[in-house]
Amino acid sequence: MITNTFYSQENHGPYDIYQLGDFLLESGEVINNCKLAYTTFGKLNNNKDNVILMPTWFSGTSKDMEAFVGEERAINPNNYFIIIINQIGNGLSSSPHNSPEPIAMANFPNVTIFDDVRAQHSLITNKYGITEIALVVGGSMGAQQTYEWAVRYPKMVKRAAPIAGTAKVTSHNIQFTQTLIESITSDPLWNNGSYNVHTDVKDGLKRHANIWSVMGLSTEFYQKEMWSIYDVNSFDEFIHEFLQPLYQKMDPNNLILMARKWQKADVSKITNGDLAEALRGIQAKVFVLPIDEDMFFKPSDCRAEQKLIPNSELRMIYSSVGHFALPGPEGNSYHKQIDQHLNELLACTK
């Protein structure tokens, strides 16, 4: 267990903590005194049916998801009770860096997307008595959790909007996340995950950022030299003053845990590997929202799954940024698209 001020209320709050107790994982391992960090907006109505649930993406926190919430937005706290829940391992919820022995650091148990969803289910049912969710919406790893929600709790989820993600991880994504893992573990100061402070692994985290710079941003982003959306003025500043410092603030064990979770995402575990059968069981109205220039979750991969989902539509998001469009660095041009699709989805009664 180590201290990392990056994962603080000052940087990522305000958030509350829900105590799960000793949480049994899909692997049979246990997270002792498991904690979920979450934040809410709006009020739960008397029928408890105005709930929007938002899980987080790789390395992201509830603070990132707040960009989708607003009184002029589709996710409007005047109309909905919005719950943003931080996935296990993201640094705010129970994670390798903030857990005590015997599950500290590299000894943290193996976690799956289904474990995240079961933990989230426990929070919203036990704390709030919620039995119906108007919308689950998340991007990237948040989309993986969105699919898992729709498959595992089909009667509970009325609408789902997976953004830039798939229900089953592709071989391409498995290989990509393996390079992310190895960029960190190849650092000599990684020390099998037993470093003293996260900055010991600064070279590994730098390589981690460099890999994201290749795949997280589209070729169009570089061709158009869109550095200004990140408040920098050049390619070198984007890499060395924005992207590398961003990842060098994070905990290496946390990043590896999330990457391994990403590698194993697969809703078809519930149907003995039959993806079509798993997706046919979804009862929610689903808008599948790929990003056109995304090099991780290609629109063609998203479309292939969407065709297997009853009562679903594919709605393309257009962005020159690629996968890193998710938080909305392009501003209104991106958020207007998201809001239009989510408004139309929320208006659907079937």
Side-chain angles (χ1 to χ4, degrees):
M1 185 174 186
I2 60 175
T3 299
N4 185 331
T5 57
F6 175 70
Y7 302 108
S8 65
Q9 287 278 1
E10 290 73 21
N11 289 329
H12 297 284
Y15 56 82
D16 295 313
I17 298 294
Y18 177 73
Q19 303 281 351
L20 278 164
D22 292 344
F23 185 60
L24 180 64
L25 300 169
E26 191 176 8
S27 65
E29 300 172 278
V30 174
I31 299 177
N32 306 115
N33 300 312
C34 189
K35 302 175 179 65
L36 286 185
Y38 71 100
T39 189
T40 65
F41 298 88
K43 293 183 179 180
L44 187 61
N45 64 14
N46 291 334
N47 292 331
K48 298 186 177 182
D49 61 359
N50 67 329
V51 177
I52 293 180
L53 176 64
M54 304 176 71
T56 57
W57 52 63
F58 179 91
S59 78
T61 70
S62 49
K63 179 59 69 175
D64 297 304
M65 303 307 296
E66 289 179 18
F68 293 82
V69 179
E71 294 183 358
E72 304 299 322
R73 309 293 304 281
I75 302 176
N76 185 339
N78 292 333
N79 300 328
Y80 297 100
F81 181 56
I82 301 146
I83 311 174
I84 309 175
I85 308 179
N86 293 274
Q87 66 170 293
I88 296 169
N90 82 330
L92 305 190
S93 293
S94 285
S95 302
H97 94 279
N98 64 19
S99 295
E101 296 294 348
I103 61 168
M105 307 291 281
N107 293 322
F108 198 83
N110 294 306
V111 183
T112 66
I113 296 294
F114 182 40
D115 290 324
D116 280 309
V117 169
R118 287 192 304 112
Q120 293 161 19
H121 182 271
S122 177
L123 190 164
I124 70 169
T125 55
N126 293 330
K127 183 173 179 61
Y128 296 107
I130 292 167
T131 58
E132 179 175 315
I133 304 174
L135 171 67
V136 183
V137 53
S140 193
M141 282 190 77
Q144 292 176 328
Q145 293 165 76
T146 298
Y147 275 119
E148 194 79 41
W149 263 104
V151 168
R152 295 284 183 167
Y153 301 101
K155 294 181 180 179
M156 192 173 186
V157 178
K158 302 307 176 184
R159 301 169 192 83
I163 307 171
T166 54
K168 180 176 182 177
V169 68
T170 63
S171 298
H172 175 263
N173 269 231
I174 292 171
Q175 182 61 18
F176 166 72
T177 49
Q178 190 61 33
T179 65
L180 289 177
I181 292 168
E182 292 175 2
S183 68
I184 293 172
T185 59
S186 61
D187 189 319
L189 296 181
W190 158 249
N191 193 28
N192 293 318
S194 297
Y195 43 85
N196 294 316
V197 292
H198 72 282
T199 52
D200 287 349
V201 199
K202 62 181 185 300
D203 289 341
L205 291 169
K206 177 181 176 180
R207 287 193 294 272
H208 187 89
N210 289 343
I211 293 171
W212 275 109
S213 74
V214 176
M215 291 293 293
L217 288 304
S218 70
T219 55
E220 190 174 357
F221 169 85
Y222 289 102
Q223 289 166 353
K224 291 184 176 180
E225 300 184 350
M226 298 174 67
W227 333 119
S228 63
I229 66 173
Y230 293 105
D231 295 323
V232 294
N233 300 310
S234 67
F235 168 77
D236 285 342
E237 287 184 11
F238 172 68
I239 299 296
H240 300 293
E241 296 182 22
F242 172 73
L243 201 60
Q244 289 177 354
L246 173 65
Y247 282 99
Q248 287 180 313
K249 296 174 184 177
M250 300 178 189
D251 181 81
N253 275 307
N254 294 354
L255 293 172
I256 287 174
L257 177 75
M258 287 183 284
R260 288 176 175 158
K261 198 193 307 185
W262 179 349
Q263 287 181 317
K264 294 178 286 186
D266 182 2
V267 299
S268 72
K269 287 186 292 184
I270 195 175
T271 50
N272 296 315
D274 189 330
L275 181 62
E277 183 182 353
L279 295 179
R280 280 197 302 267
I282 293 175
Q283 297 179 25
K285 174 66 177 179
V286 179
F287 280 9
V288 175
L289 302 168
I291 297 172
D292 63 332
E293 294 292 334
D294 191 343
M295 292 194 286
F296 295 134
F297 299 100
K298 299 287 288 183
S300 56
D301 293 330
C302 298
R303 183 178 293 109
E305 291 185 343
Q306 178 266 319
K307 290 179 178 179
L308 300 174
I309 303 171
N311 200 20
S312 69
E313 300 178 31
L314 187 132
R315 301 287 190 97
M316 191 71 70
I317 303 297
Y318 298 96
S319 168
S320 296
V321 176
H323 195 70
F324 271 29
L326 273 173
E330 294 163 290
N332 197 44
S333 64
Y334 170 79
H335 284 297
K336 280 182 67 176
Q337 296 181 72
I338 297 293
D339 286 340
Q340 177 184 339
H341 295 309
L342 293 185
N343 273 325
E344 292 181 20
L345 178 56
L346 286 164
C348 292
T349 56
K350 290 184 179 181

